[in-house]
Amino acid sequence: MTKATIPITVFTGFLGAGKTTVILSLLPKLPKDYKVVLLKNEYGDVEVDSKLAKESSLTAVSEILNGCMCCVLVGQMQNALFEIRDQYRPDRIIIECSGSAFPATLAFQIREMERNTGGDFKLDSIITVIDAENFAGYEDTSPTAKMQASYTDIILINKWESVSDRQLDIVLDYLHTLNDLTPKLRCDGRNGVDPNLIFGIESKLFLDKNAHNQDPSHIEEVETLTLYRGSAASQGHKHDDDHVHADGHNGILGNRSSDSHQSIPLETLEESLSKLSKESVWRVKGFVRVQGANVETFILNWAFGRYDLTKSDPSVLTEDSSVRLTAMGERGELRRAIGSLCKTLELSIL
């Protein structure tokens, strides 16, 4: 008996656009026996979104870290898709690209897999999530954001409820200029969008196998740094030479073993986050032990001035570590822009 083709939906969108939230909002609207596997790709080495996703009704979550699978990690993406097919044979695979990814190369690879596997996979759609609050700003400076909005089947406009009608009109003008014909749908807050609107598209993008790869050289506009408080050994590295103090000196900031496990006061964390520049710092996410009424471990997800704290299993941090974060932002400016955060929270840069 011929096995059904597995449709693949690719989500792209700039850092902090809300891709994971939109994806997770789809799941409760699907039939209970519908199997979805999420393949995530993110810069850095902190599995934040996977921790959130594994608490959902997804059949499985796989995450590719420390690079971008639209370029250097394409091979890992192919292997991951084969493993998902062989182990789960899901009804659908959702790929969530890193925030700086332009998915043309990835789409070409899926098209190649369509042909080489006799139709085991098919590219169903490329979906781009837009952050209405910040798109007009980063669209000016980010070639990637422009390309993501230009090569897509559907544009989902997220976080539009908190902007004025005038600001929304500006965003729509940008989008129409970049991509006039592609449908543009507004997300319903954290309820996201109806899966019937974005599943079953059967994309016609990147069908020509002889076409020159339309993806330009990957644009390294995003710098990524790992921030931590705790022992060097708990970060998976052996040598202190690999660690750089926020002020540029080698070694571990606040190198006091008695303090390494201490939690961060909630008000100190909130005040530090409020001072981050969203012009140079675009995303901060990871794990932090917080001292409020009790000491609890949280998943921190900060993007362009907004953040969420979600309770997490304390085991995500070792006993001698109280903070582990990935910061992403403008190349050449990020280290300076997070200096105050590192100093206040006594963080080192890996």
Side-chain angles (χ1 to χ4, degrees), residues 33-34 44 54 57 74 90 134 155 172 212 235 312:
D33 59 349
Y34 193 88
K54 285 174 181 174
S57 58
V74 166
N134 296 290
I155 294 173
L172 291 171
H212 178 69
Q235 311 307 319
S312 180

Side-chain angles (χ1 to χ4, degrees), residues 14-34:
F14 203 63
L15 296 164
K19 299 184 292 295
T20 302
T21 300
V22 171
I23 291 169
L24 295 182
S25 74
L26 296 168
L27 304 179
K29 303 169 187 174
L30 297 171
K32 292 190 180 300
D33 59 349
Y34 193 88

Side-chain angles (χ1 to χ4, degrees), residues 11-76:
F11 276 81
T12 187
F14 203 63
L15 296 164
K19 299 184 292 295
T20 302
T21 300
V22 171
I23 291 169
L24 295 182
S25 74
L26 296 168
L27 304 179
K29 303 169 187 174
L30 297 171
K32 292 190 180 300
D33 59 349
Y34 193 88
K35 295 192 296 183
V36 178
V37 173
L38 173 63
L39 175 59
K40 280 186 58 63
N41 176 218
E42 190 57 275
Y43 278 102
D45 58 359
V46 183
E47 297 184 358
V48 175
D49 293 330
S50 283
K51 298 293 183 186
L52 293 171
K54 285 174 181 174
E55 299 175 3
S56 71
S57 58
L58 285 161
T59 299
V61 180
S62 179
E63 189 156 25
I64 297 176
L65 301 172
N66 283 317
C68 182
M69 66 183 176
C70 80
C71 49
V72 296
L73 300 184
V74 166
Q76 288 190 34

Side-chain angles (χ1 to χ4, degrees), residues 46-243:
V46 183
E47 297 184 358
V48 175
D49 293 330
S50 283
K51 298 293 183 186
L52 293 171
K54 285 174 181 174
E55 299 175 3
S56 71
S57 58
L58 285 161
T59 299
V61 180
S62 179
E63 189 156 25
I64 297 176
L65 301 172
N66 283 317
C68 182
M69 66 183 176
C70 80
C71 49
V72 296
L73 300 184
V74 166
Q76 288 190 34
M77 183 271 292
Q78 291 177 317
N79 291 337
L81 289 176
F82 284 132
E83 290 177 7
I84 290 169
R85 176 198 64 185
D86 296 341
Q87 186 170 354
Y88 301 105
R89 199 77 198 191
D91 296 296
R92 180 172 300 273
I93 297 172
I94 294 177
I95 296 178
E96 182 181 345
C97 297
S98 69
S100 62
F102 176 50
T105 301
L106 189 152
F108 278 121
Q109 293 296 324
I110 296 172
R111 293 297 191 193
E112 190 68 19
M113 294 175 74
E114 290 178 7
R115 293 185 284 270
N116 293 341
T117 62
D120 271 356
F121 303 97
K122 71 174 180 182
L123 178 62
D124 185 25
S125 60
I126 295 176
I127 310 295
T128 297
V129 182
I130 295 297
D131 171 3
E133 284 187 307
N134 296 290
F135 183 74
Y138 61 62
E139 187 273 342
D140 281 337
T141 58
S142 171
T144 301
K146 293 179 181 179
M147 290 187 291
Q148 289 170 344
S150 299
Y151 296 93
T152 185
D153 292 293
I154 294 174
I155 294 173
L156 298 183
I157 302 173
N158 201 21
K159 307 179 187 179
W160 59 272
E161 299 92 340
S162 56
V163 304
S164 67
D165 291 342
R166 174 58 182 156
Q167 288 174 302
L168 185 57
D169 286 341
I170 292 172
V171 172
L172 291 171
D173 286 343
Y174 272 124
L175 294 175
H176 287 310
T177 299
L178 292 170
N179 195 336
D180 189 36
L181 299 178
T182 295
K184 300 166 186 66
L185 308 176
R186 299 186 193 184
C187 294
D188 180 18
R190 290 191 173 269
N191 291 322
V193 66
D194 186 341
N196 291 315
L197 297 175
I198 61 174
F199 289 170
I201 300 297
E202 299 192 0
S203 174
K204 299 299 186 290
L205 294 173
F206 311 112
L207 275 172
D208 186 358
K209 66 180 180 180
N210 297 314
H212 178 69
N213 188 343
Q214 299 177 37
D215 188 2
S217 297
H218 190 70
I219 300 168
E220 296 292 343
E221 60 184 313
V222 178
E223 183 174 4
T224 303
L225 298 171
T226 297
L227 318 177
Y228 71 95
R229 180 176 175 179
S231 73
S234 69
Q235 311 307 319
H237 286 248
K238 297 180 181 179
H239 306 293
D240 285 350
D241 291 344
D242 294 332
H243 307 276

Side-chain angles (χ1 to χ4, degrees), residues 220-339:
E220 296 292 343
E221 60 184 313
V222 178
E223 183 174 4
T224 303
L225 298 171
T226 297
L227 318 177
Y228 71 95
R229 180 176 175 179
S231 73
S234 69
Q235 311 307 319
H237 286 248
K238 297 180 181 179
H239 306 293
D240 285 350
D241 291 344
D242 294 332
H243 307 276
V244 182
H245 188 296
D247 64 8
H249 294 96
N250 288 338
I252 303 172
L253 180 60
N255 190 11
R256 298 167 295 175
S257 59
S258 62
D259 289 345
S260 64
H261 65 283
Q262 288 186 353
S263 56
I264 305 295
L266 178 60
E267 59 271 21
T268 301
L269 177 64
E270 291 179 334
E271 183 179 359
S272 299
L273 294 174
S274 70
K275 295 178 180 178
L276 284 175
S277 166
K278 65 180 185 179
E279 282 71 36
S280 299
V281 185
W282 300 329
R283 193 81 187 272
V284 178
K285 60 182 186 176
F287 308 107
V288 57
R289 281 206 179 93
V290 175
Q291 174 68 61
N294 300 295
V295 175
E296 295 179 297
T297 302
F298 287 90
I299 298 172
L300 168 65
N301 202 334
W302 182 99
F304 292 99
R306 285 186 169 193
Y307 70 91
D308 292 315
L309 288 171
T310 305
K311 286 185 181 179
S312 180
D313 188 326
S315 65
V316 296
L317 289 169
T318 60
E319 290 184 2
D320 56 357
S321 177
S322 58
V323 180
R324 185 172 177 84
L325 303 171
T326 294
M328 290 168 274
E330 183 180 358
R331 183 165 295 280
E333 294 294 324
L334 178 61
R335 188 177 294 267
R336 176 196 57 77
I338 62 170

